[in-house]
Amino acid sequence: MSTTHQITVPIDKTTESFRDKVIRKCGESVEMKEKFFTKYAELLEVMSRAMAERFQRGGRLFVMGNGGSLCDALHMCVEFNHPIIEKRPAFPVIPLMTDIATMTAIGNDIDFTRVFVNQLRLLSLPSDVAMVFSTSGKSPNLIYALQAAREKQLLTVAFAGKDGGRFPEIADYCFIVPSYSIHRIQEVHATVVHVVWDLVHIALGAEDVT
Amino acid sequence: MCLAIPGKLIEISQDSQGVRMGRADFGGIVKQVCLEYTPEVDAGDYVLVHVGFALGKVDEEEAARTYQLLEEMNQLTELEVPEV
Amino acid sequence: MKYIDEYRSEALAQKVVSEIRRVVTRPWVLMEVCGGQTHTIVKYGIDHLIPPEVELVHGPGCPVCVTSLEMIDKAHAIARRPDVIFTSFGDMLRVPGSEGDLLVLKSRGADIRVVYSPIDALKIARANPNKKVVFFAIGFETTAPGNAMAVWQAHKQGIKNFSVLVSHVLVPPAIASILQSPLNRVQGFLGPGHVCTVMGYREYEPIAERFCVPIVITGFEPIDILEGVLMTVRQLELGKWEVQNQYPRVVKREGNLIAQDLVNKVFEISDRKWRGVGSIPKSGYKLRYELRDHDAERIFEVQEIDTKEPDICISGLVLRGVKKPHDCPAFGQQCTPEHPLGATMVSAEGACAAYYAYGRHLEQLQRRSAGGAGQKVEEPSVVR
């Protein structure tokens, strides 16, 4: 679990040039992606095949997230709903963060922690997939949605960061970016969106051309 | 707020609402303790109590084992390399 | 008393101290998280017993100290109401809000009562059906099971006049926040023994791994603290960063699952503002929506609160381990337990109160009169 310290020379961020900052942050981002995808390559394959199977049988993917993670979830929608490669079929991905009328009604009348779970219970079927993006894994509105999805027999997938929060206990497939930096976590999630879309189609026999 | 003290359970009962309660002896001072979080304890066991709730059973074997290791420290100083 | 006395043995303490002396080869900065641990360290002079290479800095593990000023002011606003019986642990009554403390309010006629346990508050609610009884539910994860039980029982038994003002705080996000600060000097932690009795210590493993810091879950008696220091220093000397359990007589890796279960039924994770530190995301508990009838924040609509913090108080820096109580110019002078300026002087677990109780302000006076500096020099944080 642990390896030996190497105490490196401290970086003085106050005198670092802008160019060096850019290179360093980019390096951190690349390193985080390498760590994540090396760790989860096999699990991503298994998960993508499970998702592909559900899509083939008419299942839909429901995605959720807050803030920056909302953007990553929404990105998943456009990848599947409007594929960049014409030969690949479109599959239905439904975001639960965009109906602001329903969201604000639930948030205003009931509680913001219920904005996703209430919609999910109403709109989803056991043949569907639920996928959440979160940097902490602790957002109550996502935890409740995942729990309800699990109870309803949806396939549940979670992308998180930090320590993963409650997601590992609830999701069928849980992927945790090993970082406490919100930006680095989201940068990995952004790549995940493309990789997952690609793997699902390759699992269904598509040519690997991206 | 994390002040929790080990006490010896001397009695187990149920209150009027069916909640598992007990009385614990803290070196002579006896207090009521809620035992809902420690269903495995029996009279005679030691429990760690915080604001009237038993949060865990004191593992007497573990305590004896780790205490003994502490007492034996330094006896083999010249021969031992520090281990984590 | 069994499981206490033997952990105060002087002979054993000497053994552990000489073992620390034997293994340490260079300076290390350790933080003990819990206020109760700070108290033991100062009371038994553990920071003076251990070799000078090992520096102990004090963490934010005093829930009274970190309850936000806004929350204290909300408590005042609720307690002031004639239809309310406001109940709380004793410490909270003396924490200064923007306009004095709850004890002052009590002297002006507010019905404010000290309780030992949240169950006592529930009993008061049963006995006073015409009053709204509010319990000030502050604390770390150690206190959450007790508060959860009180709310759950109120809910099940239909005790409608009982509610809680929740300001729970969680330890792991606080540790992560300290480690992410550019001012951080901490290289190893003595983890919170009683918090982990409830929660287990799984949550600390990703922190140890990602930030490369050893975390040793430690008890509260002097021998526990010394052994915790020894285990942490050993790891640091060997270049390791693992979570270890110094307190296995009560702490298990998974914690108390029954307690966690009820806590999760009653509370959900929320953002929380820590006094002197600021808002730490996902670092607190609030009541779940299902239990809103017992949520004092929802029941009592409190107007916009204007908070006022004394400028001279550095409790925020003390809570983050950046400064020590004796670094504060007001320590032992304008700020004493009788007239506290900040929460760290009020609570029995606060670092400033502990230092004062064990005469550290006298050392400071001696240092000042001898012309010595009381300020610590900041070291740059080491990048690993």
Side-chain angles (χ1 to χ4, degrees):
Chain A
M1 188 160 39
S2 73
T3 49
T4 318
H5 277 314
Q6 277 138 24
I7 297 179
T8 57
V9 177
I11 294 167
D12 187 352
K13 294 184 182 176
T14 54
T15 58
E16 200 187 18
S17 70
F18 265 63
R19 184 180 189 279
D20 286 344
K21 284 184 194 296
V22 169
I23 306 295
R24 175 173 55 80
K25 288 174 195 284
C26 173
E28 284 165 13
S29 193
V30 168
E31 190 191 333
M32 200 46 63
K33 286 183 193 181
E34 270 168 1
K35 267 194 186 145
F36 177 85
F37 286 106
T38 307
K39 179 172 181 185
Y40 287 114
E42 282 86 12
L43 195 63
L44 279 166
E45 181 193 346
V46 176
M47 187 273 289
S48 303
R49 289 190 189 280
M51 271 180 69
E53 204 191 356
R54 292 232 174 187
F55 275 135
Q56 268 197 316
R57 290 195 263 122
R60 291 94 37 95
L61 168 62
F62 287 89
V63 292
M64 290 151 270
N66 296 294
S69 295
L70 182 154
C71 302
D72 293 321
L74 207 50
H75 195 152
M76 192 66 94
C77 293
V78 69
E79 291 297 327
F80 276 102
N81 292 341
H82 184 74
I84 55 162
I85 299 174
E86 274 183 31
K87 268 193 284 192
R88 293 190 181 182
F91 289 122
V93 179
I94 300 160
L96 293 179
M97 317 78 69
T98 52
D99 179 352
I100 54 170
T102 302
M103 275 187 84
T104 53
I106 298 171
N108 190 51
D109 295 348
I110 303 176
D111 200 77
F112 195 72
T113 59
R114 308 297 146 130
V115 293
F116 298 136
V117 64
N118 286 15
Q119 292 185 80
L120 189 73
R121 279 207 180 103
L122 189 63
L123 300 169
S124 69
L125 295 168
S127 51
D128 293 329
V129 184
M131 179 183 284
V132 305
F133 288 87
S134 169
T135 53
S136 67
K138 294 180 182 174
S139 302
N141 62 7
L142 297 175
I143 291 171
Y144 294 141
L146 260 186
Q147 280 170 336
R150 193 191 183 88
E151 273 160 38
K152 215 172 167 180
Q153 317 261 305
L154 276 72
L155 183 73
T156 48
V157 181
F159 293 100
K162 300 187 184 179
D163 62 6
R166 303 285 313 282
F167 290 173
E169 302 155 29
I170 313 171
D172 293 323
Y173 297 98
C174 181
F175 305 87
I176 305 169
V177 179
S179 170
Y180 276 76
S181 160
I182 292 179
H183 279 177
R184 302 292 92 85
I185 296 166
Q186 287 174 344
E187 283 149 22
V188 176
H189 286 179
T191 307
V192 156
V193 169
H194 289 155
V195 169
V196 167
W197 173 80
D198 210 4
L199 289 181
V200 165
H201 282 282
I202 292 169
L204 292 170
E207 224 184 313
D208 187 359
V209 292
T210 56
Chain B
M1 285 308 116
C2 286
L3 304 166
I5 309 177
K8 187 172 183 174
L9 211 52
I10 52 178
E11 186 189 279
I12 300 183
S13 61
Q14 275 197 349
D15 76 358
S16 53
Q17 314 288 340
V19 175
R20 194 162 177 258
M21 300 289 294
R23 279 165 9 103
D25 181 350
F26 302 92
I29 304 170
V30 177
K31 291 194 105 139
Q32 279 254 303
V33 170
C34 176
L35 298 174
E36 283 289 315
Y37 293 125
T38 48
E40 73 280 16
V41 299
D42 279 320
D45 288 338
Y46 278 82
V47 284
L48 189 75
V49 178
H50 174 70
V51 301
F53 290 86
L55 295 180
K57 179 178 163 180
V58 181
D59 186 333
E60 306 204 33
E61 270 173 41
E62 185 64 55
R65 190 183 68 82
T66 50
Y67 199 79
Q68 193 182 4
L69 284 174
L70 263 176
E71 284 183 316
E72 287 167 5
M73 200 184 294
N74 284 356
Q75 283 175 11
L76 300 169
T77 343
E78 291 84 41
L79 307 171
E80 259 182 13
V81 171
E83 262 177 24
V84 175
Chain C
M1 272 179 66
K2 197 175 176 193
Y3 298 119
I4 291 194
D5 295 342
E6 64 268 41
Y7 292 94
R8 295 181 184 177
S9 149
E10 229 187 288
L12 201 51
Q14 288 305 330
K15 273 196 184 188
V16 184
V17 167
S18 53
E19 184 64 16
I20 297 171
R21 228 176 255 130
R22 197 178 67 81
V23 302
V24 76
T25 65
R26 53 194 147 138
W28 299 112
V29 179
L30 271 49
M31 173 181 274
E32 89 283 352
V33 177
C34 255
Q37 293 166 335
T38 308
H39 198 87
T40 299
I41 288 168
V42 181
K43 176 175 178 178
Y44 291 89
I46 288 175
D47 48 347
H48 292 158
L49 273 179
I50 55 181
E53 292 94 320
V54 183
E55 186 190 343
L56 288 173
V57 300
H58 314 303
C62 166
V64 171
C65 307
V66 301
T67 303
S68 74
L69 195 49
E70 286 81 1
M71 194 53 82
I72 304 282
D73 289 350
K74 265 187 204 170
H76 279 232
I78 294 170
R80 225 175 264 140
R81 295 168 59 119
D83 56 338
V84 165
I85 300 175
F86 194 83
T87 60
S88 168
F89 295 132
D91 266 3
M92 290 309 295
L93 265 66
R94 298 189 51 248
V95 175
S98 294
E99 313 271 339
D101 58 36
L102 285 167
L103 214 54
V104 165
L105 210 55
K106 185 177 160 78
S107 67
R108 292 200 196 126
D111 194 344
I112 296 173
R113 306 186 196 182
V114 173
V115 293
Y116 157 72
S117 162
I119 297 297
D120 295 338
L122 198 55
K123 285 183 187 152
I124 294 174
R126 266 198 213 100
N128 295 272
N130 299 323
K131 291 274 188 177
K132 295 193 172 82
V133 176
V134 179
F135 177 67
F136 204 176
I138 63 120
F140 279 95
E141 296 98 314
T142 325
T143 320
N147 293 339
M149 180 69 74
V151 174
W152 192 250
Q153 285 190 16
H155 178 65
K156 287 274 162 212
Q157 295 163 23
I159 305 172
K160 297 203 161 74
N161 62 327
F162 178 78
S163 64
V164 286
L165 182 63
V166 179
S167 187
H168 270 295
V169 278
L170 307 175
V171 173
I175 291 183
S177 167
I178 285 168
L179 287 165
Q180 288 176 298
S181 159
L183 293 175
N184 177 52
R185 302 163 54 224
V186 181
Q187 297 161 302
F189 287 89
L190 302 187
H194 291 148
V195 163
C196 292
T197 305
V198 175
M199 302 299 288
Y201 53 84
R202 282 169 303 179
E203 292 173 289
Y204 297 84
E205 289 161 358
I207 298 176
E209 195 189 309
R210 313 265 153 83
F211 293 97
C212 306
V213 277
I215 302 176
V216 176
I217 311 302
T218 303
F220 291 75
E221 295 302 322
I223 300 297
D224 291 316
I225 305 280
L226 285 169
E227 198 186 5
V229 169
L230 173 63
M231 289 166 75
T232 314
V233 169
R234 270 189 180 144
Q235 284 205 55
L236 287 166
E237 291 286 338
L238 290 171
K240 291 190 167 208
W241 52 82
E242 289 174 359
V243 177
Q244 286 185 293
N245 184 7
Q246 180 280 328
Y247 201 23
R249 60 191 189 272
V250 283
V251 174
K252 311 281 176 246
R253 185 172 174 265
E254 68 277 8
N256 184 326
L257 295 171
I258 301 173
Q260 287 169 38
D261 203 52
L262 192 64
V263 166
N264 288 332
K265 278 203 178 74
V266 171
F267 295 111
E268 65 190 20
I269 291 178
S270 68
D271 294 341
R272 186 58 72 194
K273 189 164 178 194
W274 294 53
R275 190 169 186 174
V277 180
S279 187
I280 303 179
K282 311 286 187 312
S283 66
Y285 280 147
K286 62 187 245 261
L287 272 192
R288 284 176 66 137
Y289 177 70
E290 291 90 344
L291 294 156
R292 61 194 177 278
D293 291 342
H294 300 284
D295 190 343
E297 272 201 278
R298 290 182 197 261
I299 294 167
F300 301 97
E301 277 180 34
V302 177
Q303 302 306 333
E304 273 302 305
I305 289 180
D306 239 344
T307 56
K308 283 180 297 241
E309 198 76 270
D311 291 323
I312 200 172
C313 179
I314 62 161
S315 57
L317 295 170
V318 171
L319 286 166
R320 278 178 285 162
V322 176
K323 296 263 185 207
K324 296 255 167 66
H326 49 58
D327 294 329
C328 175
F331 175 66
Q333 311 277 317
Q334 307 98 300
C335 186
T336 63
E338 288 74 43
H339 306 286
L341 292 183
T344 44
M345 184 56 90
V346 170
S347 168
E349 292 179 328
C352 300
Y355 269 50
Y356 192 93
Y358 300 109
R360 298 296 174 96
H361 58 296
L362 300 171
E363 288 172 23
Q364 185 189 26
L365 283 173
Q366 279 171 6
R367 256 206 305 275
R368 282 201 180 134
S369 63
Q375 297 288 344
K376 289 263 175 220
V377 175
E378 303 292 352
E379 285 160 23
S381 55
V382 170
V383 173
R384 294 214 178 88

